[in-house]
Amino acid sequence: MATLEILKYPDPRLKQESVEVEHFDDDLQRFLDDLEETMGDGPGAVGIAAPQVGRFQRIAIVDISSKPKLVNHGRMFLINPEIVEWDGLAVGREGCLSVPDYTGNVVRAERIKLRYLDRDGNEIEIDTEGYEARAVQHEMDHLDGMLFVDRVVSRRHDLFRRKHYKQRGER
Ligand code: NI
């Protein structure tokens, strides 16, 4: 396993759209292990997407189980994920390994029905909500070349410098 280098905003490669995975081979399994290790390296990261390490395929990992009180499905390897239904809107704070200096307030669907392939290529469908649904939507944005900073309504009012944010003890 290896830790991969994370592309940081404003690297233009973060705007690239990713393509679907077609082969569930050894190369994919090795990559998933490396991506998992890279996520584990990030402080408190709840997700990571393949394009953040320069691999432009529709792959992400989401795991919010470090916050056990919230609805969660454990560690999910999301391959070719699709949101097939959504409902409700909510504002919440997000951070990103590719945008280490900022957090931001972003509007997301509150509840989603998610369809994806797991790391063995099995089709899975789940319903999720709240923070896990938010993390999934954040990671799926990466697959379309979008960052949370592209989604904030006002960069002046909805983006927060991390240092400032931590000093105020809001975290
Ligand atoms: Ni991110």
Side-chain angles (χ1 to χ4, degrees):
M1 294 218 290
T3 303
L4 307 169
E5 191 195 337
I6 293 178
L7 304 181
K8 303 273 166 50
Y9 178 81
D11 191 311
R13 287 173 289 177
L14 289 166
K15 293 191 177 253
Q16 191 171 322
E17 200 175 325
S18 292
V19 300
E20 293 210 331
V21 172
E22 289 177 7
H23 304 290
F24 288 78
D25 52 13
D26 290 348
D27 176 63
L28 177 71
Q29 299 305 326
R30 269 193 302 273
F31 174 70
L32 292 172
D33 291 342
D34 290 346
L35 191 64
E36 184 176 31
E37 189 177 345
T38 305
M39 179 173 98
D41 234 35
V46 294
I48 191 168
Q52 290 182 274
V53 296
R55 178 150 164 158
F56 300 96
Q57 285 188 297
R58 304 188 78 82
I59 298 170
I61 303 174
V62 168
D63 185 347
I64 69 149
S65 61
S66 60
K67 305 171 194 299
K69 284 186 198 145
L70 304 177
V71 174
N72 77 84
H73 292 79
R75 179 151 302 191
M76 298 187 289
F77 290 84
L78 306 176
I79 317 244
N80 303 342
E82 271 178 279
I83 292 171
V84 291
E85 280 173 38
W86 66 271
D87 175 38
L89 290 171
V91 179
R93 190 68 70 89
E94 298 184 14
C96 180
L97 294 171
S98 294
V99 190
D101 297 337
Y102 289 89
T103 61
N105 284 335
V106 184
V107 178
R108 300 285 186 189
E110 223 166 351
R111 286 170 294 280
I112 58 173
K113 187 183 285 295
L114 176 68
R115 191 180 294 155
Y116 63 96
L117 303 175
D118 70 12
R119 60 184 298 166
D120 300 314
N122 302 308
E123 188 173 298
I124 312 278
E125 198 172 276
I126 60 161
D127 294 299
T128 184
E129 61 183 64
Y131 192 61
E132 188 178 64
R134 172 173 299 280
V136 167
Q137 291 168 81
H138 174 111
E139 298 313 328
M140 285 180 67
D141 264 359
H142 281 297
L143 310 181
D144 294 321
M146 286 274 283
L147 297 174
F148 77 85
V149 293
D150 302 318
R151 290 234 184 237
V152 297
V153 175
S154 156
R155 291 203 170 204
R156 221 171 98 206
H157 296 110
D158 296 328
L159 276 186
F160 307 88
R161 269 200 178 275
R162 270 212 191 259
K163 222 191 247 166
H164 173 69
Y165 176 51
K166 274 185 190 157
Q167 274 169 356
R168 290 178 58 191
E170 291 174 357
R171 207 169 179 206

